[in-house]
């Protein structure tokens, strides 16, 4: 199973509805980071969905992910089709708060399965959807299947997930092992196609916590986190001559987003003996991070001087871990406070640099 860089970090290291009223929360800080395999206009893309929530935050009752307006989606895959992979980390309250990894496949569910129908009704209030996926993971030898209820809502695709409370007994509908979601990373392949018009697009995640210590949602604590995607986005890399060693040069372009101050953007440089040294949406880093560019100007152009290599080496640059301010109303149309917005990461093409030949005397 291919894993993203974030999935590797995860490994190392029932169901309720949504309304808008209730008591205030103590702490709740979920985020949503989406990385795509392509940022070309009109291109099919695999989406890598990364969710992170602090260990000491209130547990999550429900989350809904909204695709960007203008994207197209193929929701017609047959039941049993594998469309991705998933890894997650949960805090097992029944096991002293131990952090446990889960892993498995993302499959298209059988909509006629009585268990799926019952879960759908509890989570969304209806039994049928455009399609249903299941994050089919295992935890200490036990299967933990998490349904994702997928629908079209006007120009959007919505993906709803409900989680059992870790604070009530499993016999009463609570989570196995008192499991509370901390991190989750799953990919969705063969579903989404990018919009065909140049501009900025947003994925949005709407999260509702439980009231701590109960199985009751706290709708007043509902928050939003977004990911900004510029279409098109590109990051190029090539080798250039230098008096000593060589230079790595290229350009980052993110449609609709300026890269000059105060953005303070730098690129990470990855290198290694194996191909694809940098991580991307669907694969691990085969190499390691070996440097960082200077601050990029508004043009996005960069140059990094390097010494001659001692063996054949692959290089890639990567734009990652940058955010921006939420602007405008929620893409979901819901009156929910937005707590932050990530900018989708991108990895450059790779180049191979050979050891210089010895000069003949």
């Amino acid at each position: 199973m291919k894993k993203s860089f974030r999935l590797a970090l995860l490994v190392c290291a029932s169901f309720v509805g949504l309304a808008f009223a209730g008591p205030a929360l103590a702490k709740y800080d979920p985020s949503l980071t989406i990385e795509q395999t392509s940022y070309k206009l009109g291109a099919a893309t695999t989406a890598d969905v990364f969710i992170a929530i602090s260990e000491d935050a209130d547990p999550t009752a429900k989350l809904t992910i909204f695709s960007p307006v203008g994207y197209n989606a193929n929701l017609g895959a047959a039941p049993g089709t594998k469309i991705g992979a998933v890894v997650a980390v949960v805090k097992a309250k029944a096991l002293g708060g131990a952090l446990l990894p889960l892993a498995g496949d993302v499959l298209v569910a059988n909509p006629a399965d009585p268990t799926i129908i019952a879960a759908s009704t509890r989570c969304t209030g209806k039994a049928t959807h455009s399609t249903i996926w299941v994050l089919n993971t295992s935890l200490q030898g036990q299967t933990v299947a998490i349904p994702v209820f997928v629908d079209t809502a006007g120009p959007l695709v919505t993906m709803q997930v409900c989680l059992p409370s870790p604070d009530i007994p499993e016999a009463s509908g609570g989570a196995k092992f008192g499991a509370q979601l901390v991190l989750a990373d799953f990919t969705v392949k063969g579903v989404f196609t990018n919009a065909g018009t140049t501009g900025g697009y947003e994925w949005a995640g709407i999260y509702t916590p439980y009231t701590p210590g109960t199985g009751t949602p706290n709708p007043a604590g509902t928050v939003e986190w977004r990911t900004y995607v510029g279409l098109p986005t590109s990051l190029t890399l090539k080798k250039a001559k230098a008096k000593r060693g060589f230079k790595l040069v290229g350009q980052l372009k993110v449609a609709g987003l300026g890269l000059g101050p105060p953005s303070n953007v730098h690129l990470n440089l990855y290198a290694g003996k194996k191909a694809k040294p940098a991580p991307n949406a669907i694969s691990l880093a085969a190499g390691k991070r070996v440097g960082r560019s200077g601050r990029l100007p508004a043009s996005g152009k960069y140059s990094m001087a390097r010494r001659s290599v001692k063996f054949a080496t692959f290089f890639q640059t990567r734009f990652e871990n940058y955010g921006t301010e939420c602007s405008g109303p929620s893409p979901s149309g819901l009156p929910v406070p937005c707590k932050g917005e990530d900018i989708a990461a991108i990895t450059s093409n790779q180049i191979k640099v050979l050891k210089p030949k010895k000069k003949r005397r």
Side-chain angles (χ1 to χ4, degrees):
M1 175 178 70
K2 287 186 176 180
K3 305 177 189 138
S4 75
F5 178 61
R6 294 190 296 263
L7 291 182
L9 293 179
L10 295 178
V11 172
C12 294
S14 117
F15 298 87
V16 295
L18 175 64
F20 290 97
L25 71 149
K27 176 181 179 181
Y28 195 52
D29 59 353
S31 63
L32 173 72
T33 304
I34 306 288
E35 182 176 354
Q36 301 181 186
T37 55
S38 175
Y39 298 101
K40 295 180 180 179
L41 294 174
T45 189
T46 295
D48 180 26
V49 180
F50 182 69
I51 295 163
I53 309 169
S54 295
E55 290 180 43
D56 59 346
D58 295 342
T60 297
K62 182 172 182 178
L63 65 95
T64 303
I65 298 171
F66 296 78
S67 69
V69 174
Y71 279 41
N72 292 317
N74 173 18
L75 304 180
T81 302
K82 178 181 174 179
I83 60 171
V86 57
V87 172
V89 169
V90 297
K91 181 175 70 173
K93 290 188 173 181
L95 300 176
L99 295 178
L100 302 178
L102 301 83
D105 296 328
V106 181
L107 305 172
V108 178
N110 176 6
D113 184 331
T115 302
I116 292 293
I117 293 173
S120 174
T121 302
R122 288 194 297 270
C123 179
T124 70
K126 63 179 185 178
T128 60
H129 299 272
S130 298
T131 189
I132 301 171
W133 305 330
V134 61
L135 310 182
N136 200 35
T137 67
S138 61
L139 176 61
Q140 294 197 345
Q142 297 191 42
T143 298
V144 180
I146 304 172
V148 181
F149 305 105
V150 186
D151 291 287
T152 56
L156 304 171
V157 171
T158 63
M159 294 155 272
Q160 300 180 75
V161 178
C162 292
L163 300 171
S165 172
D167 294 324
I168 62 174
E170 184 179 347
S172 301
K176 290 182 180 180
F177 305 107
Q180 177 176 331
L181 182 65
V182 175
L183 300 169
D185 193 347
F186 66 92
T187 54
V188 180
K189 181 180 180 181
V191 173
F192 294 104
T193 300
N194 292 336
T197 303
T198 297
Y201 296 83
E202 289 179 310
W203 295 83
I206 305 294
Y207 298 82
T208 297
Y210 281 106
T211 300
T214 76
T216 304
N218 173 16
T222 300
V223 296
E224 178 186 42
W225 195 281
R226 306 176 192 172
T227 294
Y228 176 93
V229 176
L231 294 181
T233 289
S234 61
L235 178 57
T236 60
L237 175 65
K238 63 182 180 179
K239 179 185 175 185
K241 293 182 179 180
K243 290 182 178 180
R244 292 184 179 181
F246 61 96
K247 289 182 180 180
L248 295 172
V249 299
Q251 186 175 20
L252 172 67
K253 294 181 179 179
V254 183
L257 187 67
L259 294 176
S263 299
N264 198 27
V265 171
H266 300 260
L267 302 176
N268 286 327
L269 176 65
Y270 289 80
K273 296 180 180 180
K274 296 182 180 180
K276 298 181 180 179
N280 59 44
I282 57 173
S283 67
L284 294 166
K288 62 181 181 179
R289 190 165 69 89
V290 297
R292 192 168 182 246
S293 74
R295 187 174 70 182
L296 270 60
S299 67
K301 293 182 178 180
Y302 66 94
S303 175
M304 288 182 275
R306 302 293 298 178
R307 294 179 180 179
S308 296
V309 297
K310 297 180 180 180
F311 47 80
T313 304
F314 292 91
F315 290 93
Q316 285 182 299
T317 52
R318 181 166 166 83
F319 171 71
E320 57 189 345
N321 301 327
Y322 282 93
T324 185
E325 296 293 328
C326 299
S327 61
S330 169
S332 70
L334 298 173
V336 179
C338 181
K339 296 299 184 179
E341 182 165 14
D342 291 328
I343 304 172
I346 184 172
T347 298
S348 76
N349 58 291
Q350 69 176 8
I351 63 169
K352 185 177 182 180
V353 178
L354 302 177
K355 178 180 178 181
K357 294 181 179 180
K358 291 184 179 180
K359 295 182 179 180
R360 293 182 180 181
R361 294 183 180 179

